[in-house]
Amino acid sequence: MAPQLDGYFKQVDDMSDAFIERLRQAIAIPSISSEAARRPDVVRMGHWLADELNKLGAQAELRPLGKQQGTDLDLPPVVLARYGSDKNKRTILVYGHYDVQPAEKEDGWETEPFELTVKEDGRMLGRGSTDDKGPVLGWLNAIEAHKAAGIEFPVNLLMCFEGMEEYGSDGLDDLINAEAKKYFADADAVCISDNYWLGTERPCLTYGLRGCNYYSVEVSGPGADLHSGVFGGTAQEPMTDLVRILGSLVDTDGKIQIPGIAEQVAPLTAEEDGLYDGISFTMETLYESLGSKTTIFDDKKKTLMARWRNPSLSIHGVEGAFSAPGAKTVIPAKVIGKFSIRTVPNMEIEKTNECVAKYVEDVFKKLGSKNTMKVYPQHCGNWWVASPKHWNFSAAAKATERVWGVQPDFTREGGSIPVTLTFEQATGKNVLLLPMGSSTDGAHSINEKLDKRNYIEGIKLLGAYLHYVAEEPQN
Amino acid sequence: MAPQLDGYFKQVDDMSDAFIERLRQAIAIPSISSEAARRPDVVRMGHWLADELNKLGAQAELRPLGKQQGTDLDLPPVVLARYGSDKNKRTILVYGHYDVQPAEKEDGWETEPFELTVKEDGRMLGRGSTDDKGPVLGWLNAIEAHKAAGIEFPVNLLMCFEGMEEYGSDGLDDLINAEAKKYFADADAVCISDNYWLGTERPCLTYGLRGCNYYSVEVSGPGADLHSGVFGGTAQEPMTDLVRILGSLVDTDGKIQIPGIAEQVAPLTAEEDGLYDGISFTMETLYESLGSKTTIFDDKKKTLMARWRNPSLSIHGVEGAFSAPGAKTVIPAKVIGKFSIRTVPNMEIEKTNECVAKYVEDVFKKLGSKNTMKVYPQHCGNWWVASPKHWNFSAAAKATERVWGVQPDFTREGGSIPVTLTFEQATGKNVLLLPMGSSTDGAHSINEKLDKRNYIEGIKLLGAYLHYVAEEPQN
């Protein structure tokens, strides 16, 4: 039986001005986690959030995380909160973050980045509007609308809001692992609202992320940088070896040349094969976000498969070589190439590292160089794929259809959101990514915005999701 | 008939303390041309030098060069000076520079860089000691010793000392070209003392330099830098194309892969072939200066030929890619690879540029990339080879044998000293490079030094060279 939601929806519409005002207050606090000088603002934002939660009747607490790695700076606290503890209800753990990316009007913003500005076309501009203050406040607004309408809250809600997401989530994994069987013990499923629709029209639920193995390949020879006039033709140059190694990794069409990578990729099932055609995604939108037509594939299906379910290899740059504008006749003594592989099911981190090491060592050996080469992973994060058939997803799908009038796309993403995997592994529960904003929100860019429609309908969606969660049968 | 030099030599020995004191005064002026804040010190150094010359009876003047390119900063003046104008004597034009590289004690100097420190082992440490204040003062000391000993100066001396050599010799070429038929009109030959012996024991005369064609290869595609999670596997990446282009230019053993380069190199004559074995140079010294044994060749002759008479190609770096320590998952939108070719007789600048452009365009075409590629020269400077049989060289060779007791090596250099070619082309006269310091002086490094022996014997050498110049028959 579909839950009764009309009263809740009407209440959200009635309170929309108040919800925008709450977002305005949050945007006004420049909680930039990457800038030490802004740390007091990040902490103030954590306190403001906890206060708002407590005012709504939740039990919020601020958990200190100790010092930021390598500094004397206190990390901003994690806000942990519980709303409801009825043993007869399901418990949903939600995650979000209250810190933001840096922003200055001078970067090219059309408005003051820390003053929420609602445009006539519905764009609500402000740093953090979509990433991630709007979605975080969505949960608070859902609570408030239920209270105001006198509707019983359908689940127990556990909340975990951090203040360091834009700067590496320092300290968060330890807290999640420590609290998995304590504060988070009764969570039945996890919901994270910190990603985006694939386009601007069709909502989506996200059930997969690629992982990332990041490598350094270091070539060194001479004792110090050399002058190319004096030593050109005399010394074997590390940079010559490095570009030949980097040039052997992947071809122009993205085909990884390292044996043993493609072999690990999960075969395409008939079921998955049928998924892509229905996804709301066009090459035109991709060309727009890319700013060019320099894509590897010209069709949607191959492009989505390349982004979601196939590995890719990108060469990011070279450390130690000349990198400034102009001309410098240096022979760099030691150069470090950086590249990474986006990983997918069923690739294994260790096996992938072994394939990379063997291949790069073989290529280097064939060069016949007297220089010294080392290749090693800098960091590795695993891919994540959840079951989209779990009740957590079917509840979200029904809520989406109810609020937006369309079936959501079931999507995966090319990038990683490491906390997703941490929650899944620590709690052992299904994790759902339930985005509020759309692909054009410009999360880390100038003129970051959340459309008013996505915010208000998003609040309805989060609440509706919790009602469907309460009714979905156990898988 | 060998000139009478004993009186001059004795006078130089007797005055050696005064000559070291003069160098001490010069070193004390931190005439760093690359630092705008030090410009007054560079100008002060020019005035000090002109004053010293005038006190010795030379006619010195300070020539303004206008503003430094792209700034409001006055360039330091060029010191032009004449000593003697006897129409029955040969006139020798000498060049040097009175500016220096930056230096801070904190860089790792064992002494204060702008306080000349004479060590017990004879090293005279100080920024500019060997590059190029010692050699410049060598000419002044030679004049003073002649005057003190009452020996007639054997030639007319024209001097051109600049103050921007370490920062691109801004404005100098124009002055040389403008004065070639005026101030420098009666020059019979040119002598530049601004390079170094090949080793530490055997003096040398230098008659050749390689040129340098410096290239940029620019690959662009997306409108802005991309996130490799979102776009990895979707976009053709400019960095992938660039490393494949750079990897095609030269092999580990320095063999340039571009057709049409090797074909331009002057064939080895039997005469040249016999030159290399006698040169005072060992692989051990090379390993020491290289700080490793990662040479292309293991024997002296091939190494010297690779440095002096064969072209080389070095890859200097990449602009626009990630170049810092750590990890960044960026797909750079536009990357510019930098490489240069050291050129030799009989390579032509334009022809070489055409070969490079054609080859790089062919390689890029074969990649089948949708990205955009441009390859273009940033700057090109020609190689230079003088005739070592000219009386200018034979005079210097005889003077070297007289002062040092050995025949000098006739050497070329791998790097470029662009002013050499400018003087040759503007005056139409033979140019000789007559070094004072040795290979271990560390011109641009910490602990720059000039050995006391090289300074004092060098003053004798410069004077003796002028006496032999006066006696050498016309070629």
Side-chain angles (χ1 to χ4, degrees):
Chain A
M1 193 186 76
Q4 292 302 316
L5 290 166
D6 295 344
Y8 170 63
F9 289 172
K10 183 173 183 306
Q11 191 66 46
V12 172
D13 283 328
D14 289 348
M15 295 181 77
S16 61
D17 285 349
F19 295 155
I20 291 169
E21 178 54 30
R22 177 173 278 141
L23 183 58
R24 188 187 310 280
Q25 288 178 33
I27 299 292
I29 304 173
S31 52
I32 303 168
S33 50
S34 63
E35 296 175 4
R38 291 294 194 183
R39 188 58 50 87
D41 290 315
V42 185
V43 173
R44 182 156 61 95
M45 181 68 206
H47 283 264
W48 179 89
L49 190 57
D51 289 347
E52 289 288 295
L53 282 160
N54 286 328
K55 277 190 251 173
L56 292 171
Q59 289 81 49
E61 51 188 281
L62 294 157
R63 287 291 184 91
L65 290 180
K67 300 286 181 194
Q68 185 175 335
Q69 273 183 26
T71 73
D72 264 346
L73 215 54
D74 281 325
L75 287 165
V78 169
V79 178
L80 291 184
R82 165 181 286 278
Y83 185 69
S85 51
D86 184 336
K87 292 212 179 316
N88 297 314
K89 292 179 181 174
R90 277 186 170 144
T91 299
I92 298 297
L93 167 59
V94 303
Y95 161 89
H97 63 90
Y98 63 80
D99 63 317
V100 298
Q101 284 277 319
E104 302 274 354
K105 181 84 159 59
E106 294 67 38
D107 297 341
W109 282 72
E110 55 181 89
T111 59
E112 285 294 335
F114 295 102
E115 291 176 14
L116 186 76
T117 308
V118 185
K119 294 281 183 180
E120 285 196 3
D121 59 6
R123 288 182 302 145
M124 304 195 297
L125 286 104
R127 175 57 88 218
S129 54
T130 195
D131 183 19
D132 187 36
K133 289 179 175 176
V136 164
L137 297 187
W139 299 110
L140 278 67
N141 297 335
I143 294 172
E144 190 173 22
H146 277 86
K147 288 178 63 150
I151 301 167
E152 188 184 350
F153 209 69
V155 299
N156 305 313
L157 201 62
L158 287 173
M159 289 161 270
C160 174
F161 300 134
E162 69 156 322
M164 279 298 277
E165 198 273 346
E166 302 294 3
Y167 207 60
S169 292
D170 204 348
L172 186 69
D173 277 9
D174 288 346
L175 178 127
I176 293 171
N177 287 317
E179 298 296 340
K181 301 298 168 211
K182 292 199 257 175
Y183 201 93
F184 306 145
D186 59 337
D188 294 301
V190 181
C191 178
I192 298 176
S193 187
D194 188 24
N195 67 320
Y196 308 93
W197 296 356
L198 198 54
T200 56
E201 290 307 317
R202 178 89 70 93
C204 68
L205 310 179
T206 305
Y207 67 98
L209 299 166
R210 293 195 292 187
C212 184
N213 288 15
Y214 200 105
Y215 300 97
S216 288
V217 51
E218 193 176 305
V219 186
S220 59
D225 284 0
L226 303 172
H227 187 283
S228 69
V230 181
F231 289 98
T234 303
Q236 292 189 332
E237 303 186 11
M239 189 66 177
T240 301
D241 293 343
L242 181 65
V243 294
R244 296 179 80 197
I245 291 170
L246 295 177
S248 76
L249 299 173
V250 61
D251 75 9
T252 295
D253 285 332
K255 189 162 185 301
I256 299 174
Q257 307 291 303
I258 303 166
I261 303 292
E263 291 81 346
Q264 293 182 67
V265 177
L268 185 70
T269 61
E271 187 190 354
E272 187 196 329
D273 193 51
L275 275 178
Y276 297 99
D277 287 327
I279 301 285
S280 172
F281 177 83
T282 67
M283 291 304 289
E284 278 60 41
T285 317
L286 176 63
Y287 296 148
E288 203 177 309
S289 60
L290 195 60
S292 73
K293 291 194 165 187
T294 56
T295 50
I296 292 174
F297 304 107
D298 295 325
D299 79 290
K300 167 176 133 178
K301 183 173 174 180
K302 282 183 183 160
T303 296
L304 287 177
M305 288 174 70
R307 181 186 289 196
W308 293 352
R309 64 107 55 225
N310 288 328
S312 63
L313 189 153
S314 296
I315 300 162
H316 307 296
V318 179
E319 179 185 344
F322 176 54
S323 61
K328 188 178 177 188
T329 54
V330 66
I331 298 175
K334 176 178 167 180
V335 284
I336 308 173
K338 315 278 179 83
F339 67 96
S340 67
I341 298 177
R342 295 283 163 177
T343 58
V344 296
N346 300 318
M347 290 172 68
E348 292 169 23
I349 288 179
E350 281 310 317
K351 196 167 171 185
T352 301
N353 290 348
E354 281 164 24
C355 292
V356 168
K358 181 177 181 335
Y359 179 76
V360 172
E361 278 156 15
D362 284 353
V363 169
F364 181 70
K365 201 169 291 172
K366 282 195 200 116
L367 297 182
S369 173
K370 296 174 185 170
N371 290 317
T372 304
M373 193 281 298
K374 281 197 295 187
V375 56
Y376 50 91
Q378 266 199 56
H379 62 70
C380 299
N382 218 343
W383 46 266
W384 165 79
V385 175
S387 165
K389 296 185 176 163
H390 189 276
W391 56 259
N392 197 25
F393 278 84
S394 49
K398 288 174 185 172
T400 302
E401 199 168 0
R402 180 76 173 266
V403 171
W404 289 102
V406 290
Q407 278 282 346
D409 281 333
F410 282 81
T411 64
R412 287 158 67 170
E413 290 206 356
S416 56
I417 307 178
V419 74
T420 311
L421 198 62
T422 308
F423 274 117
E424 182 185 273
Q425 291 175 338
T427 66
K429 305 295 177 180
N430 180 277
V431 182
L432 157 74
L433 302 188
L434 180 58
M436 177 181 270
S438 81
S439 69
T440 54
D441 285 357
H444 289 199
S445 304
I446 56 168
N447 301 322
E448 176 183 345
K449 60 91 176 166
L450 176 62
D451 290 327
K452 183 177 165 184
R453 179 165 168 258
N454 280 57
Y455 184 50
I456 302 302
E457 301 307 302
I459 296 164
K460 293 178 189 170
L461 176 64
L462 297 184
Y465 154 69
L466 299 176
H467 281 275
Y468 281 100
V469 155
E471 299 204 349
E472 277 300 290
Q474 195 76 20
N475 287 91
Chain B
M1 193 186 78
Q4 292 302 316
L5 291 166
D6 294 344
Y8 170 64
F9 289 172
K10 184 173 183 307
Q11 190 68 44
V12 172
D13 284 328
D14 289 349
M15 294 180 77
S16 61
D17 286 348
F19 295 155
I20 291 169
E21 178 54 31
R22 177 173 276 139
L23 182 58
R24 188 187 311 279
Q25 289 179 33
I27 298 292
I29 304 174
S31 51
I32 303 169
S33 49
S34 63
E35 295 176 4
R38 291 295 194 181
R39 188 57 49 87
D41 290 315
V42 186
V43 173
R44 182 156 60 96
M45 181 70 207
H47 283 263
W48 179 88
L49 190 57
D51 289 348
E52 291 287 295
L53 282 160
N54 285 328
K55 277 190 251 172
L56 291 171
Q59 288 81 48
E61 52 189 281
L62 295 157
R63 288 292 184 89
L65 291 181
K67 299 285 181 194
Q68 184 175 337
Q69 273 183 27
T71 73
D72 266 346
L73 214 54
D74 281 323
L75 286 165
V78 169
V79 177
L80 291 184
R82 167 179 285 279
Y83 185 70
S85 52
D86 184 337
K87 292 213 182 312
N88 296 316
K89 291 179 181 173
R90 278 187 168 142
T91 298
I92 299 296
L93 167 58
V94 304
Y95 161 89
H97 63 91
Y98 63 80
D99 63 318
V100 298
Q101 285 275 321
E104 303 275 353
K105 180 83 158 57
E106 292 68 38
D107 298 340
W109 281 72
E110 55 182 90
T111 59
E112 284 295 336
F114 294 104
E115 291 176 14
L116 185 75
T117 309
V118 185
K119 295 280 183 181
E120 285 196 4
D121 58 6
R123 288 181 303 144
M124 303 195 298
L125 286 105
R127 174 57 88 219
S129 54
T130 195
D131 183 19
D132 186 39
K133 290 178 174 176
V136 164
L137 297 187
W139 299 110
L140 278 69
N141 297 335
I143 293 172
E144 189 173 22
H146 277 86
K147 288 179 63 151
I151 301 167
E152 187 184 350
F153 208 69
V155 300
N156 306 312
L157 201 63
L158 287 172
M159 288 162 271
C160 174
F161 300 133
E162 70 156 322
M164 280 297 278
E165 198 272 346
E166 302 293 3
Y167 206 59
S169 293
D170 204 350
L172 185 70
D173 278 8
D174 289 346
L175 179 129
I176 294 171
N177 287 317
E179 298 297 342
K181 302 297 169 211
K182 293 197 258 175
Y183 201 94
F184 305 146
D186 60 336
D188 295 300
V190 181
C191 178
I192 297 176
S193 187
D194 187 24
N195 66 320
Y196 308 92
W197 297 356
L198 197 55
T200 56
E201 289 307 316
R202 176 91 69 95
C204 68
L205 309 179
T206 305
Y207 67 98
L209 299 166
R210 292 196 292 188
C212 183
N213 287 16
Y214 199 105
Y215 300 96
S216 288
V217 51
E218 195 175 305
V219 185
S220 59
D225 284 0
L226 304 172
H227 187 282
S228 68
V230 181
F231 289 98
T234 303
Q236 291 188 332
E237 304 186 13
M239 189 66 178
T240 301
D241 294 342
L242 181 65
V243 294
R244 295 178 80 197
I245 291 170
L246 295 177
S248 77
L249 299 173
V250 62
D251 75 8
T252 295
D253 284 332
K255 189 162 185 299
I256 298 174
Q257 306 291 303
I258 303 166
I261 303 292
E263 292 81 345
Q264 294 182 65
V265 177
L268 185 69
T269 61
E271 188 190 352
E272 187 196 328
D273 193 50
L275 276 178
Y276 297 99
D277 287 327
I279 301 285
S280 172
F281 177 84
T282 68
M283 292 304 288
E284 277 61 41
T285 316
L286 176 63
Y287 296 148
E288 202 177 313
S289 60
L290 195 61
S292 72
K293 291 194 166 186
T294 57
T295 50
I296 293 174
F297 303 108
D298 295 326
D299 78 290
K300 167 176 133 177
K301 183 173 176 181
K302 283 183 181 159
T303 296
L304 287 176
M305 288 174 71
R307 180 186 288 196
W308 293 353
R309 66 108 51 225
N310 288 327
S312 64
L313 190 154
S314 295
I315 300 163
H316 307 296
V318 179
E319 179 186 343
F322 175 55
S323 61
K328 188 178 177 188
T329 54
V330 66
I331 298 175
K334 177 177 166 182
V335 284
I336 308 173
K338 315 279 179 81
F339 67 96
S340 67
I341 299 178
R342 295 284 164 175
T343 57
V344 295
N346 299 318
M347 290 172 67
E348 292 168 24
I349 288 179
E350 280 311 316
K351 196 167 172 184
T352 302
N353 290 348
E354 283 164 23
C355 293
V356 168
K358 182 176 180 336
Y359 178 76
V360 172
E361 278 156 14
D362 284 352
V363 169
F364 181 69
K365 201 169 290 171
K366 281 193 200 119
L367 298 182
S369 173
K370 296 175 184 171
N371 291 317
T372 303
M373 192 282 297
K374 282 197 296 188
V375 57
Y376 50 91
Q378 266 201 57
H379 62 69
C380 299
N382 218 342
W383 47 266
W384 164 79
V385 176
S387 165
K389 295 185 177 164
H390 189 276
W391 56 259
N392 197 26
F393 278 83
S394 48
K398 287 174 184 171
T400 302
E401 200 169 358
R402 180 76 173 268
V403 170
W404 289 101
V406 290
Q407 278 281 346
D409 281 332
F410 282 80
T411 64
R412 287 157 70 169
E413 289 207 356
S416 56
I417 306 177
V419 74
T420 310
L421 198 62
T422 308
F423 273 116
E424 182 184 271
Q425 291 174 338
T427 66
K429 304 296 178 182
N430 180 278
V431 182
L432 157 74
L433 302 187
L434 180 58
M436 178 181 270
S438 80
S439 68
T440 54
D441 284 359
H444 289 199
S445 304
I446 57 168
N447 301 323
E448 177 182 346
K449 59 91 177 167
L450 177 62
D451 290 326
K452 182 176 167 185
R453 178 164 168 260
N454 280 57
Y455 184 51
I456 301 302
E457 300 306 303
I459 296 163
K460 293 178 189 171
L461 175 65
L462 297 183
Y465 154 68
L466 299 175
H467 281 276
Y468 280 100
V469 154
E471 299 204 348
E472 276 301 290
Q474 194 76 21
N475 287 93

